[in-house]
Amino acid sequence: MTISNFFLVFVGGGLGAAVRFLVTTAAARWGAAFPFGTLAVNAVGSFLMGLVMGAILLLTEKYGLITEPLRLLLAVGFLGGLTTFSSFSFETLLLLKGGSCLLAFCNIALQLLAGLLLAALGMVLAKALLS
């Protein structure tokens, strides 16, 4: 590990966490009964992860570019700070403890479905843009 790699993850993570705060704060207007903010950042983060990593993989394969700094800044740092799997887990447990089994199941299903579909969409978009 180099200090420059650490700095890239540090900066990216801080920016990602700040964006997560803004998104979850904005989503609070939709109500507190369901964790819409966490769903939003996880869905957007999944799409961006597919887009970023899809682009990085293609740039590396096709052009032989050194993409490790981009991966550290964007995927590890920014998207690591943006997405909130730990919040998703905790909020699902709170829904279950509160007796909202249906909302807990919906949260699990929506997080998983949105994450998988949007990550795949991001990879398809990256390939379409870079091929």
Side-chain angles (χ1 to χ4, degrees):
M1 178 184 80
T2 66
I3 192 72
S4 60
N5 287 350
F6 177 82
F7 185 73
L8 289 169
V9 173
F10 175 78
V11 169
L15 291 172
V19 170
R20 180 180 69 224
F21 171 75
L22 292 173
V23 170
T24 55
T25 301
R29 64 188 151 121
W30 297 329
F34 187 83
F36 290 108
T38 302
L39 176 60
V41 295
N42 285 341
V44 169
S46 294
F47 171 73
L48 291 175
M49 184 66 80
L51 182 65
V52 167
M53 288 307 296
I56 285 173
L57 290 171
L58 284 169
L59 290 171
T60 301
E61 289 173 11
K62 196 169 186 175
Y63 303 108
L65 296 177
I66 297 172
T67 56
E68 186 63 5
L70 279 175
R71 186 186 75 79
L72 291 172
L73 177 68
L74 298 175
V76 177
F78 182 77
L79 294 174
L82 174 67
T83 58
T84 57
F85 189 77
S86 57
S87 296
F88 155 70
S89 300
F90 182 71
E91 289 165 348
T92 302
L93 286 174
L94 287 179
L95 289 170
L96 288 169
K97 281 183 144 188
S100 299
C101 292
L102 179 61
L103 283 180
F105 175 77
C106 287
N107 192 34
I108 292 166
L110 285 170
Q111 297 282 356
L112 182 60
L113 185 63
L116 290 172
L117 289 175
L118 288 167
L121 178 63
M123 289 187 77
V124 168
L125 182 60
K127 186 173 184 176
L129 292 172
L130 295 171
S131 292

